[in-house]
Amino acid sequence: MIKLKVFCLLMLASAGVIASEANLPEEMLRGRNQQYQEGFRDGFREAVRMMNGNQGSQSSDRRKIQILNATYGSARGRCDFTQRLARSANDKSSYRFKSGNQWCGDPSDGYQKMATVEYACRGKVRRAYVREGQSETLRCY
């Protein structure tokens, strides 16, 4: 994320785009996935704020993860582990999450499972879909 912010700062400075309401260079987002686009937009906005001296304009509370819903399983069975995940991830700016039976047992033995996590970050609802055994970092910068 820091590399993205530095890149945005360099792009802004070289293009002479720095202003209170700079336009986002949409052409840089073409062909990129949604997670990349969200990160780029967040970095771009933060770079504009920093260049304009408005570093403290957003409350740090808005940059903290708030777990809204977390389930794990397959079409054969699911379990809810919202409270357990919230105890671990809430109020952090990032949290490395691993999908697996450790959260609430095996709700569908013998079937491939997936964790679905909905969380609030900076006033937006984000979703992460993580296959069993895989990891994902939930971010809120």
Side-chain angles (χ1 to χ4, degrees):
M1 189 65 174
I2 291 174
K3 288 181 182 179
L4 181 61
K5 287 180 182 177
V6 171
F7 174 75
C8 288
L9 284 171
L10 291 173
M11 289 300 297
L12 287 171
S14 67
V17 177
I18 299 170
S20 61
E21 292 296 323
N23 293 325
L24 183 69
E26 293 291 334
E27 68 275 3
M28 297 181 80
L29 299 177
R30 283 191 207 115
R32 304 295 183 151
N33 68 34
Q34 183 179 0
Q35 186 176 6
Y36 176 92
Q37 289 180 10
E38 287 176 10
F40 185 93
R41 285 186 179 103
D42 289 346
F44 185 88
R45 283 188 217 102
E46 185 66 23
V48 170
R49 272 193 290 280
M50 288 172 65
M51 295 300 286
N52 288 320
N54 298 330
Q55 295 177 20
S57 66
Q58 276 201 325
S59 166
S60 62
D61 289 342
R62 290 181 45 90
R63 296 175 186 232
K64 298 196 175 163
I65 294 169
Q66 292 300 310
I67 301 297
L68 304 174
N69 188 34
T71 60
Y72 174 71
S74 71
R76 300 280 183 180
R78 297 190 85 52
C79 61
D80 185 305
F81 66 102
T82 305
Q83 294 302 314
R84 287 193 67 198
L85 183 59
R87 282 192 297 273
S88 299
N90 278 2
D91 298 325
K92 294 181 179 169
S93 59
S94 68
Y95 179 77
R96 184 86 172 149
F97 166 75
K98 183 169 183 181
S99 176
N101 295 337
Q102 73 275 14
W103 291 104
C104 52
D106 191 344
S108 54
D109 191 31
Y111 292 90
Q112 179 69 34
K113 290 163 279 297
M114 179 177 290
T116 303
V117 179
E118 285 186 344
Y119 63 103
C121 171
R122 300 176 75 184
K124 295 180 185 175
V125 174
R126 297 185 180 186
R127 289 177 186 79
Y129 303 96
V130 188
R131 290 182 183 267
E132 179 179 19
Q134 299 295 308
S135 295
E136 175 84 21
T137 301
L138 308 177
R139 291 185 171 87
C140 188
Y141 295 111

